[in-house]
Amino acid sequence: MEGMSERSYAAHSGLSRGAVQKARKTGRLVLFADGSINAVASDARRGAMTDPDQQRRSLGGDTGAVSGPGDSTSYLKARTALTVYQAQERQLSIQKKKGVLVDRARAETLVFRLARQERDTWVTWPTRVAALMAAQLSAEMEKASGVPVTIETAILQRVLETHVREQLNALADLRVSLA
């Protein structure tokens, strides 16, 4: 046997035996007549036929290294980055069409409008219910005590307004974060 076996060449080159077998099938190895591997010539051929970034990764080199100008790998990296960006953009577009994503500014405007409507409803609530509540309380107290009782609507309305405003002030400190 003139050269190396697949196993010994795998140990020599730092490749797995499966990678050596694949390189043999794809013609990246130089073989002697007896089928053994010519290590020196095979190393040179593999070096010429293998992507430089792939060689660095297989040798445990820096995977974050940037290819130099004019290097075909820099074009491949840029093309890959563009493809990834376009795929992400398409995914966002699909999610927006499905209604999964909404415009942030529009969502914030709608939340603000809803909060303002809620506040306005609560601010006017004491005026709407004070007379009804005063009548109900007067009736309940008269029924329980047997003595006619009158609760002034204006007084009850002021009390309710005070408590509603305190509650609204406490709620005003809440902040909605859509981040």
Side-chain angles (χ1 to χ4, degrees), residues 126 129-139 141 149-160:
V129 300
L132 181 62
M133 288 177 72
Q136 287 177 339
L137 284 171
S138 294
M141 290 175 70
V149 176
T150 303
I151 296 178
E152 290 292 325
T153 303
I155 294 172
L156 183 57
Q157 182 177 335
R158 277 196 309 273
V159 170
L160 288 172

Side-chain angles (χ1 to χ4, degrees), residues 5-169:
S5 68
E6 286 180 355
R7 284 189 184 158
S8 58
Y9 185 71
H12 159 80
S13 62
L15 299 172
S16 67
R17 186 160 180 235
V20 171
Q21 290 172 340
K22 184 177 179 183
R24 180 181 218 148
K25 286 180 188 174
T26 59
R28 287 185 292 164
L29 299 181
V30 178
L31 305 176
F32 287 114
D34 66 351
S36 62
I37 300 171
N38 180 340
V40 175
S42 293
D43 288 344
R45 183 178 285 176
R46 276 187 37 257
M49 296 178 75
T50 305
D51 176 20
D53 287 337
Q54 181 63 36
Q55 287 176 353
R56 275 195 299 275
R57 284 193 296 272
S58 70
L59 296 174
D62 182 16
T63 58
V66 177
S67 301
D71 189 354
S72 64
T73 57
S74 62
Y75 170 76
L76 292 174
K77 286 181 179 181
R79 184 73 184 160
T80 301
L82 176 64
T83 304
V84 167
Y85 172 76
Q86 288 172 336
Q88 289 172 342
E89 197 173 49
R90 275 188 232 112
Q91 186 178 15
L92 288 172
S93 175
I94 289 168
Q95 288 177 334
K96 197 170 186 179
K97 286 178 183 175
K98 285 182 175 180
V100 175
L101 295 178
V102 295
D103 179 39
R104 182 186 181 119
R106 184 170 186 267
E108 287 175 347
T109 301
L110 290 174
V111 167
F112 180 77
R113 189 179 303 152
L114 176 65
R116 176 167 278 170
Q117 287 173 347
E118 190 74 18
R119 184 204 62 194
D120 292 346
T121 300
W122 276 106
V123 166
T124 60
W125 178 76
T127 306
R128 288 182 287 132
V129 300
L132 181 62
M133 288 177 72
Q136 287 177 339
L137 284 171
S138 294
E140 288 294 323
M141 290 175 70
E142 186 176 330
K143 189 166 134 182
S145 67
V147 177
V149 176
T150 303
I151 296 178
E152 290 292 325
T153 303
I155 294 172
L156 183 57
Q157 182 177 335
R158 277 196 309 273
V159 170
L160 288 172
E161 285 174 351
T162 302
H163 290 286
V164 166
R165 290 224 181 259
E166 286 174 6
Q167 180 63 22
L168 290 175
N169 286 336

